[in-house]
């Protein structure tokens, strides 16, 4: 399953039902299905996550890639700003970015400290095209920053192509975000940007006050009002069996509490209007579990877990979702499947039309406790 296919499926929940006439429908959907919802709950206090995995991310348009990147490693910064003594002492990059993060391992880390430095550039040679970039801000740039001092834009450029933007001040989440070429719902793969295993890749991350000119996408501007440290790193995937799963805590996060946040709106019931499967009511938390339903035009799929393990979801034998959970903090993902008559290429759809009965199969493995649930609901416009 391609990155493009997976991302389109899991981002369907934010689709608008109204698509203007005279506009290419696929292109419009690609631009408007721009956010993935992800929820993590830590004990009673749960945090709502947006974007690929981290800071809130806005929709931007891809800028064209130029020539291949220079193999020379470098560190760059914007024009010098008045020096400000940073307090407290900023943590090193390898403390801001954990070594292991959501199925990946950090292979390098760099950092920049504002306002002295507002951009960072480095070149590395990937051994696999399946890498991701890790980005994390310290508390001074994040949710704990002083009111009115956190308006900033993060811009990520790889091989001279802007892959997306973000803002680490508007999300309460504490983890680093992991991004790839599909940042901001672009549905790109690294290969689309000319990235190849064994070929040097140049990454640039900038931060500053948003600037908009001539109807172009916002870009980072003046960073002098910002104080803090941001770390940028590269992560490569680790096989699930080799990932260092943390020990089981004395008390698990309540699965119902985590499920209430599946829609991103605390207090709303778990979305399962068309049915659900719950490990707490099955003979085993692992194995294959099925239910039948009438296929809507768009099927929304909500997957929550409070324990490490893996989940696959199939509709009439076609895999539409695949998720892995690596800790005990509580986490939810949203995804979807489309009926056969939906106006998108076949690879995004299941072999059933609206109203036809389908079998939804949930395959779970590696769970040591009954700590997952899957809800099925009718999507927007169905």
């Amino acid at each position: 399953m391609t990155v493009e296919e997976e991302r389109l499926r899991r981002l369907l929940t934010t689709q608008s039902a109204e698509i203007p006439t005279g506009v290419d429908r696929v292109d419009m959907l690609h631009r408007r299905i721009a956010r993935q919802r992800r929820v993590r709950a830590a004990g009673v206090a749960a945090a709502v996550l947006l974007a690929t995995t981290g800071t809130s991310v806005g929709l931007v348009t891809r800028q064209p890639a130029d020539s291949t990147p220079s193999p020379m490693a470098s560190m760059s910064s914007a024009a010098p700003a008045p020096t400000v003594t940073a307090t407290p002492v900023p943590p090193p990059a390898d403390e801001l970015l954990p070594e292991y993060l959501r199925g990946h391992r950090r292979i390098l880390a760099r950092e920049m400290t504002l306002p002295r430095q507002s951009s960072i550039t480095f070149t590395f040679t990937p051994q696999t095209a399946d890498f991701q970039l890790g980005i994390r801000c310290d508390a001074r740039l994040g949710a704990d920053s002083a009111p009115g001092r956190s308006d900033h834009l993060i811009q990520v450029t790889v091989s001279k192509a802007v892959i997306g933007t973000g803002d680490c001040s508007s999300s309460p989440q504490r983890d680093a975000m992991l991004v790839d070429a599909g940042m901001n719902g672009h549905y790109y793969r690294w290969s689309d940007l000319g990235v190849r295993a064994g070929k040097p890749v140049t990454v640039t991350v900038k931060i500053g006050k948003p600037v908009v000119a001539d109807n172009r996408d916002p870009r980072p501007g003046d960073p002098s009002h910002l104080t803090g440290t941001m770390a940028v790193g590269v992560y490569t995937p680790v096989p699930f069996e080799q990932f260092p799963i943390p020990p089981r805590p004395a008390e698990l996060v309540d699965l119902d509490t985590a499920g209430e946040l599946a829609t991103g709106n605390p207090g709303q019931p778990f979305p399962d209007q068309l049915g659900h499967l719950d490990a707490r009511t099955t003979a085993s938390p692992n194995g294959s579990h099925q239910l039948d339903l009438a296929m809507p035009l768009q099927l929304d799929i909500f997957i929550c877990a409070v324990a490490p393990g893996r989940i696959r979801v199939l509709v009439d034998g076609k895999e539409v979702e695949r998720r892995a959970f690596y800790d005990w903090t509580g986490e939810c993902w949203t995804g979807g499947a489309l009926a056969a008559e939906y106006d998108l290429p076949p690879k995004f759809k299941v072999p059933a039309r609206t109203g036809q009965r389908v079998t939804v199969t949930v395959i779970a493995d590696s769970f040591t406790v009954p700590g997952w649930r899957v809800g099925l609901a009718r999507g927007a416009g169905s």
Side-chain angles (χ1 to χ4, degrees):
M1 181 171 58
T2 66
V3 173
E4 176 182 354
E5 179 179 2
E6 180 183 358
R7 287 190 176 281
L8 182 58
R9 285 172 177 159
R10 71 184 181 186
L11 297 175
L12 284 172
T13 54
T14 55
Q15 173 195 343
S16 168
E18 298 178 359
I19 303 297
T21 58
V23 178
D24 183 88
R25 186 178 182 87
V26 174
D27 181 65
M28 179 61 72
L29 284 173
H30 279 196
R31 285 186 281 117
R32 296 177 68 173
I33 304 172
R35 290 197 177 185
Q36 169 190 354
R37 283 178 178 159
R38 183 173 178 229
V39 180
R40 297 177 68 87
V44 178
V48 177
L49 303 186
L50 302 176
T52 302
T53 52
T55 63
S56 67
V57 176
L59 179 62
V60 298
T61 303
R62 176 189 176 188
Q63 299 181 6
D66 291 323
S67 59
T68 56
S70 166
M72 296 297 293
S74 64
M75 299 287 287
S76 66
S77 63
T83 302
V84 176
T85 302
T87 56
V89 176
D94 58 1
E95 288 187 11
L96 278 176
L97 289 173
E99 181 179 4
Y100 290 94
L101 180 64
R102 293 190 290 278
H104 292 74
R105 183 177 183 273
R106 189 193 70 235
I107 61 172
L108 67 84
R110 301 289 188 268
E111 68 178 31
M112 57 182 169
T113 300
L114 293 149
R116 183 180 68 253
Q117 182 185 16
S118 63
S119 70
I120 184 171
T121 297
F122 61 89
T123 298
F124 75 102
T125 301
Q127 300 304 309
T128 172
D130 196 22
F131 66 89
Q132 295 200 40
L133 302 177
I135 302 174
R136 190 176 187 184
C137 306
D138 69 6
R140 294 167 296 174
L141 291 171
D144 297 333
S145 56
R149 303 288 290 179
S150 59
D151 53 325
H152 62 273
L153 184 74
I154 299 171
Q155 178 179 281
V156 183
T157 302
V158 178
S159 295
K160 298 186 179 181
V162 175
I163 67 168
T165 58
D167 180 353
C168 57
S169 70
S170 59
S171 173
Q173 82 112 9
R174 292 164 292 179
D175 287 347
M177 69 172 175
L178 287 177
V179 303
D180 57 20
M183 185 180 180
N184 294 157
H186 283 309
Y187 317 114
Y188 300 146
R189 293 167 292 185
W190 289 125
S191 59
D192 298 327
L193 306 182
V195 174
R196 300 289 186 274
K199 178 181 178 181
V201 175
T202 298
V203 176
T204 298
V205 179
K206 297 180 179 180
I207 185 171
K209 189 171 184 177
V211 175
V212 182
D214 300 326
N215 295 320
R216 296 173 63 87
D217 294 321
R219 60 178 177 80
D222 179 23
S224 62
H225 67 300
L226 297 172
T227 300
T229 298
M230 184 168 70
V232 181
V234 177
Y235 284 79
T236 57
V238 175
F240 185 88
E241 295 79 7
Q242 299 176 22
F243 191 84
I245 301 295
R248 175 180 173 175
E251 184 175 350
L252 298 182
V253 175
D254 181 67
L255 186 55
D256 291 327
T257 300
E260 288 178 359
L261 295 175
T263 62
N265 297 309
Q268 289 195 358
F270 184 65
D272 59 357
Q273 297 88 342
L274 297 182
H276 69 272
L277 289 165
D278 193 317
R280 294 171 297 184
T281 60
T282 61
S284 169
N286 298 310
S288 179
H289 314 278
Q290 296 181 335
L291 61 81
D292 294 334
L293 55 83
M295 183 68 193
L297 181 64
Q298 176 182 317
L299 177 66
D300 283 352
I301 303 170
F302 300 86
I303 306 173
C304 297
V306 295
R310 294 181 290 192
I311 295 283
R312 296 172 58 210
V313 181
L314 298 82
V315 177
D316 274 359
K318 182 174 183 177
E319 183 176 284
V320 295
E321 286 298 324
R322 180 186 293 235
R323 299 295 172 198
F325 302 88
Y326 298 93
D327 56 37
W328 305 85
T329 61
E331 186 174 1
C332 291
W333 289 87
T334 64
L338 303 176
E341 71 269 28
Y342 206 102
D343 188 16
L344 277 180
K347 64 179 179 178
F348 300 124
K349 300 180 289 191
V350 299
R353 299 184 66 85
T354 301
Q356 291 184 347
R357 303 297 297 183
V358 296
T359 298
V360 176
T361 304
V362 174
I363 302 174
D365 71 82
S366 303
F367 286 93
T368 58
V369 298
W372 61 263
R373 66 191 304 193
V374 174
L376 305 167
R378 193 179 303 273
S382 296

